[in-house]
Amino acid sequence: MTPLYTIMMHAELDGQKQLGPEMAELLEWLGRCLKIVISDGRVLMGTFLQTDVDVNIVLGNCSEYPVGNGLPKFLGTVKVPCEHIVCMCIHGGP
Amino acid sequence: MNGSALCGVAEPADFQAAAATAAAAAAAATRANSSSDRDEWSVSECGFMDPEVQRTMRSGSTAEDITLYPLHGWLDVSDEFLAACKELIPGELAQDMMFGLFEAMSAIEIMDPKMDVGMGFDKLDLPPPSFEVAIATGVIKLDNLTPTELIGIFDSLFSCVVSWLEGNSMDQVLFNCLYLHAPSKIKDKALRVFCTAVRNLIVVIKSIIIIAGVNEEEDFQLYGNSALLAAEKAHPGNIFGYLKEVEDELVRKCKQLTSPEDLMSVVHRLRFMRHLFQVIYQVEQMAANDTAEDTISEIYKNLNVASELLPLLRKTIDRGTQPVEGSEAPNPIGFSTRIHDRTQPPSFPRSIKIRDRPASYQFLEEMISRFKYACKVTRNKDYFSALNFFIEYSKKSGQCILSRSVLQSLFTANLRLVHGRMPMKLFLRHSVQAFNSPPVLSPKNSVSADPKVQQQLENFFRYCISLNTFTMFIRICGFNRARQRDKLGRLIENFDAIQVDAARLDSFMNQLANERALEGNELHATALKHSTHFSTWVLYNCFRAMLIYLMSGFELELYAVHEFLYIYWYPYEFLVGFLVSALTRTENILLAQEEYAEHLSKIQANGGTVSKNRKAAKPRKNKKLQRPYRCEIVFYHALLSLCGGMYKAMGALTKDGRVRLPMPTFDNEEVRYNRRFRPFGALTSPPPVSYQEFKSIRDHMMLASVEDLYAVAAKHFDQARNILENIQNPDQEVLDLLQIARTNFVVMNVLARGHQKDVKRQPEFDFSKHSYFPIIKLK
């Protein structure tokens, strides 16, 4: 089975990095549908593609659901900066 | 990282509550109440990947098969997510294997005001009102508008049009004006006609720009709300009639008023619109017309009236309603900002700044003077002067897409027609004749009737047309400055094929001349001989393209200072010299021909007796005074000296250690050199100069001492100064070059005398005076 994720390592690390249980779980979420509520109340939903230590999240095929009622708008790939993330939900659970 | 934002929401068990904390209270309540909200976003709706693809991608792990999951099971993972991310070290990324940096490049940053269209909507905000809603709620008036309101709307619409012409999307800067959505529903006649005119103006301008085809995505947004683009009932040809009618009505009204100033300002705006519209409409119609000269003189008249009206408009800007401080709308009435934001493609630029009113009128004023200048293009009846005109025009008004497109429209109604009449082939034929007048092209000459010759000429010109090189060169000059370079690079490669063909044609003519000479047909032989006419013509144009290509790198700031040396070397050693010799040769041919023609006519006048007395020399002297390419040749001589000066100066500065060189491990000068001259490599004539040749020439130059090199450079600049000073009626460019030559002469002399000998600092190269030549400044 091919790995479903990669960890891009820019820092020098030798050999295998020991992954903590949380990290292992996070890597499982990659490629799955993630819903993010941001600080102004909008909801972004898309494929979870990337994150870093500062919790900047990249979502692919992302749609934006406006506050209140309104049609969703397709945005494509978006980057959500950490300071605007209020809540994150992954679709489905173990 | 902003932990507090996340910690604050660690509590909420479900996602709805989280949304509620972030959002304002009122709407959140309604949402929290509806438990059915959980069903609002199903996977199929959210544009998630095709489940089939997902399954195959993740085959082998049934637990992860996303289609097996309950569709609406969301799990709050905020805490776990944060904890997991802490494990990463800075610079490390956890990413999906299907994701790379390329995709990351196109990501829209949420909450970035320039990229995120959705931000800034307060949740209590009503959706932006549409035309109907605005009328129902009384936000806009359709009738009884005061002159002040009209002036405000007109001025803001002008600034919207200007902002559109500057490359913004018409949805964002034009159709945010609700009045433009349905002009026919407006009851106020002045406003209705004005709005109809704007709507039609948009269509006509768009058509001009599309036909001219010199736009790039950064110049102009072609696409917009197509439903609104379809012009309403009014035909563009009737618009000025309507405008005139309204104008007259208002003028009559003015006469009854005691203080008609405000209403008169409305009339002036309508009148300006009428003339502007007429100009643009006529330009568009040029393609269909065959009486180009008349249309152009009419266009010119309209432009004059429009430019006379502009000061009146600028003076009365403050009579209209002014935009509210801090509001995005250009005018308090009639605009619904962001009405189209949500219909735009996602990666669209969000942040639009509509030009303010004085600046917009400034733009229109400049545009009108550019149009006036463009009208002069019809004076250029041959390729040589037309090309000069286009190059000059591009330098002066290369920024405005409409001005560039208008010039193209005026010049070539469509690609193969010039001035709406002459087929391009004839135009080129005529151009060669005007350039160096090959006798075979002269209809008077009996040899031009020879079918063999005709066939060859026909072939050559047809070839020129089918390769499109010459027409392309002119079109390229219509593109924006930054795009020209790239296109010229490709154009230069095209020249090779035509050069080969031109050389073939020339040798055919010479061969034929020899045959005729053997036959004893002296007249035909001379007509066919001394002909490098066609190759010279092609080469001259090729050299020009090469020179512009090379020098545009300075304008676009592509070259590093240590590269200046070979960039200036090439024109100094070859290119400008080639240009001078091509022009000189042409001039000599022309003069020789004139002499010969005179000689012939004298023979005929004298009834066959050749009189070689001194009187014959007199008219020749007069002719010498009016050498056709004198101006160009002198100018190129000045360029030659300037290039030489810069080349030697760069050599001296490099040898002196005043030029920062890249670290040798990271640099390969040969690669740089080849890259800079790459388009020239495809040409057989002039033959490409290899890096080794350049290196040996440079090494030879560098043998001299630094002081000598500085002195030689100074001498070159002095020469340039001399030549430039002797140009009569110098234009601004010549004056600028003169100043550059003078300053650099002084600087070089100072350096030659050993000034600042111990401080090896790189001088500053200031290109502000001229885009090709810097003023060298010692710090």
Side-chain angles (χ1 to χ4, degrees), chain B residues 439-481:
Chain B
V440 280
L441 285 182
S442 151
K444 279 184 215 150
N445 205 308
S446 53
V447 76
S448 63
D450 186 330
K452 226 172 165 184
V453 173
Q454 265 185 341
Q455 182 64 38
Q456 289 288 336
L457 287 173
E458 176 76 13
N459 281 350
F460 172 70
F461 286 112
R462 207 174 267 174
Y463 193 56
C464 288
I465 298 294
S466 64
L467 273 183
N468 232 345
T469 312
F470 290 96
T471 32
M472 246 347 249
F473 196 1
I474 285 207
R475 269 201 58 203
I476 286 172
C477 296
F479 279 91
N480 71 44
R481 304 286 290 167

Side-chain angles (χ1 to χ4, degrees), chain B residues 269-325:
Chain B
R269 277 161 178 78
L270 287 166
R271 192 170 293 160
F272 176 74
M273 187 56 166
R274 174 160 63 95
H275 290 289
L276 184 70
F277 188 90
Q278 212 153 347
V279 167
I280 289 173
Y281 181 67
Q282 278 165 335
V283 170
E284 198 221 5
Q285 295 296 306
M286 284 277 288
N289 270 347
D290 43 27
T291 52
E293 258 92 73
D294 299 347
T295 323
I296 284 195
S297 67
E298 200 140 306
I299 288 173
Y300 203 80
K301 260 184 240 156
N302 279 316
L303 285 170
N304 271 334
V305 182
S307 61
E308 276 163 24
L309 281 167
L310 266 169
L312 290 176
L313 304 198
R314 289 171 86 166
K315 249 192 289 174
T316 51
I317 289 174
D318 49 354
R319 283 178 193 271
T321 48
Q322 297 302 313
V324 180
E325 196 88 21

